[in-house]
């Protein structure tokens, strides 16, 4: 899976989205799944687990 983060309205005077992007990347890295962050996307590899079935 690949995703990108494009937050709006971060409340920062300079309009920076750095904090929101860093938080998303931190969650991915803490997951333990193989991942790669590029300039456009964060890619995650893993097996989809179904819950509630």
């Amino acid at each position: 899976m690949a995703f990108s983060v494009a937050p709006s309205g971060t409340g920062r005077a300079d309009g920076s989205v750095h904090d929101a992007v860093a938080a998303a990347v931190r969650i991915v890295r803490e997951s333990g799944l193989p991942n790669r962050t590029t300039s456009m996307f964060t890619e995650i590899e893993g097996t989809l687990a179904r819950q509630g079935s």
Side-chain angles (χ1 to χ4, degrees):
M1 173 179 97
F3 71 93
S4 62
V5 176
S8 62
T10 63
R12 290 179 57 132
D14 63 1
S16 174
V17 296
H18 174 268
D19 294 339
V21 173
V25 170
R26 185 172 34 258
I27 291 168
V28 168
R29 291 187 177 157
E30 289 174 355
S31 76
L33 293 171
N35 64 82
R36 180 173 73 141
T37 301
T38 68
S39 61
M40 293 297 294
F41 298 102
T42 295
E43 302 168 355
I44 305 170
E45 294 182 35
T47 301
L48 181 62
R50 295 180 68 172
Q51 295 182 359
S53 299

